[in-house]
Amino acid sequence: MTAAQARALDTLSDEYLLTLPEGPIGSSLWAAAFNRTAPLAIEIGFGNGAALAHLALAHADWNCVGVDVYRPGIGALMLACQKDGLGNVRIVENEALSLLKRLAPASVRLVNVFFPDPWPKARHHKRRLVNAGFASVVAGCLELGGTLSLATDWEPYAEQMVEVLAAVPTLDGGQTGRPESRPLTAFEAKGTAAGRTVVDLTYRRVG
């Protein structure tokens, strides 16, 4: 963690960090947190926050929520929000699936999952975020027509994502190009330079 990130956590947490209540999470929480009602976008595992800040800047009329437990990344996102004057971002320091399970059904416009840990060793595959349980929970959270956008530079993981998401009857989609909501990051550029292929997947709730 850099000194600037540590200072951000000390001085900006009251502005950006959101404490979740116990039990189900309904629209009243977001209305109070953002002081408005607006489409809800969630990024899970936002890293240094570049993609979420990009999304929030492009969609000032959306409420954008980042979910992560990586504190240097949380500090980095706070700094980005302060720099660009982003008032439509809040951060939840929480495990992603436990949050998604508590969201109101059909309440989210967009869920982004960019470059989750691939856990490449076979004995660790059970730790992967995107599995059948995750797919089912996300499908339930999305509003009709809402979007799930994913990216990975680990092709075997991409194949698993396609398999589990294809098994959810209310989701329709597959491999696409890089969406506008995902800027080209230094992480991706490094992976591409190392010879890894980035796979983007986009699914929409259709029923």
Side-chain angles (χ1 to χ4, degrees), residues 27 33 40 52 56 65 123 144 183:
S27 59
L40 179 63
L52 187 60
V65 176
R123 68 177 183 272
L144 188 62

Side-chain angles (χ1 to χ4, degrees), residues 35-50:
N35 197 31
R36 66 177 184 179
T37 299
L40 179 63
I42 296 178
E43 182 172 347
I44 296 169
F46 53 76
N48 68 0

Side-chain angles (χ1 to χ4, degrees), residues 147-173:
T147 302
L148 168 63
S149 184
L150 311 99
T152 181
D153 63 351
W154 194 257
E155 290 189 78
Y157 195 8
E159 293 168 0
Q160 176 186 331
M161 291 178 179
V162 170
E163 181 180 349
V164 299
L165 293 167
V168 181
T170 56
L171 293 178
D172 180 61

Side-chain angles (χ1 to χ4, degrees), residues 26-32 34-42 59-65 87-88 106-110 143:
S27 59
S28 60
L29 172 69
W30 310 120
F34 292 96
N35 197 31
R36 66 177 184 179
T37 299
L40 179 63
I42 296 178
H59 293 277
D61 57 334
W62 288 18
N63 294 338
C64 300
V65 176
N88 61 329
S107 62
V108 185
R109 175 73 54 86
L110 171 67
E143 61 185 42

